[in-house]
Amino acid sequence: MLRLKRLAVLSLFAFCAITACAFWLLGATNAGLSGAGTHAAQPAPPQIAGKFVPLASGSAHAVNITRTVDPGWLARTAAKTGIPARALRAYVAAAGLANADAPGCGIGWNTVAAVGFVESVHGALGGGRLTASGEVSGPIVGPGLNGDGFAAIPDTDGGALDGDARWDRAVGPMQFIPSTWELAGKDANGDGVADPHNIDDAALSAAGYLCAGGRDLTAAQGWSDAIWSYNQSEAYLVQVGGKAVEYAEQAG
């Protein structure tokens, strides 16, 4: 009888241990998938506004957003931060337009720039650069999202944006996957095409994506939720936050 009780206890313990292990593995497996995982709120970095060329009374921002940033401010801030001027123009204008569209967002150009740095070193990943028109000099395409260390995302665009008709891949200086670009992509430079490989389009699309859902990026939870929506990684939150703070301090 004693042996039977011991066996029953051991069996119950084993069942509980296996069940707990299964739930832990399930949580770990889902951590990288959209909508899965949790995160701690990080302090929101200061959200910095850029300087724009004063507009004549009754006028509006130009269709090409990069033409409204003050050239003197741009040159000084690019020198202080090390951000290429062409990329900085896009980040500043993108934040300005995103805030005009969602006044409660409060996104700063330094947050957009921090994402751009982490994602592609402002379009310089792999030795590339941004052209005068804002295009990347060579394609910036991430690894196939085939489930091997990443979420498994089968192709959604026939390879039109990423050249892969089997698996989706993140593309461009802000690293959008095609399915997200389909929803969030914007034409910022007025050429009639929303192009994830163009820094103006990509930056405005990223800023709009971060501001979605009525988020307040001046608050810790709002800022953290926004960055988490872009990449569900605690390390990513810390890296983007640190870079945004660094840019704010350097810009002065």
Side-chain angles (χ1 to χ4, degrees):
M1 188 68 174
L2 183 58
R3 288 181 179 178
L4 288 176
K5 287 184 177 179
R6 286 178 178 174
L7 181 59
V9 170
L10 288 172
S11 297
L12 181 61
F13 176 80
F15 174 78
C16 292
I18 291 170
T19 303
C21 183
F23 276 109
W24 181 86
L25 288 173
L26 182 61
T29 301
N30 286 336
L33 300 180
S34 179
T38 58
H39 64 281
Q42 300 285 333
Q47 300 301 303
I48 308 301
K51 185 176 181 180
F52 293 89
V53 174
L55 298 173
S57 178
S59 66
H61 281 67
V63 172
N64 185 332
I65 63 172
T66 63
R67 293 174 185 163
T68 64
V69 180
D70 181 84
W73 179 92
L74 179 68
R76 292 190 300 272
T77 307
K80 291 176 181 178
T81 61
I83 302 172
R86 186 62 187 82
L88 182 57
R89 290 167 65 188
Y91 299 146
V92 172
L97 285 182
N99 286 324
D101 187 55
C105 178
I107 190 171
W109 64 259
N110 54 313
T111 284
V112 186
V115 172
F117 173 81
V118 175
E119 294 293 349
S120 73
V121 197
H122 310 306
L125 190 67
R129 62 179 181 82
L130 295 173
T131 67
S133 62
E135 305 295 330
V136 291
S137 60
I140 301 176
V141 180
L145 300 176
N146 59 9
D148 185 9
F150 305 94
I153 305 180
D155 173 66
T156 61
D157 69 333
L161 294 177
D162 56 14
D164 189 338
R166 185 176 182 187
W167 301 103
D168 267 354
R169 297 169 181 259
V171 299
M174 303 302 278
Q175 288 289 277
F176 277 94
I177 61 173
S179 56
T180 304
W181 185 256
E182 179 67 22
L183 298 173
K186 297 178 183 293
D187 172 23
N189 60 12
D191 66 357
V193 178
D195 181 5
H197 300 284
N198 176 276
I199 190 64
D200 298 320
D201 293 359
L204 180 58
S205 300
Y209 185 83
L210 293 170
C211 287
R215 297 187 187 106
D216 175 4
L217 269 69
T218 66
Q221 193 65 59
W223 186 90
S224 299
D225 288 348
I227 302 303
W228 185 262
S229 75
Y230 212 93
N231 189 325
Q232 294 183 6
S233 163
E234 292 283 356
Y236 187 83
L237 274 174
V238 172
Q239 189 175 10
V240 171
K243 204 66 184 175
V245 169
E246 179 183 323
Y247 285 148
E249 291 174 346
Q250 291 171 336

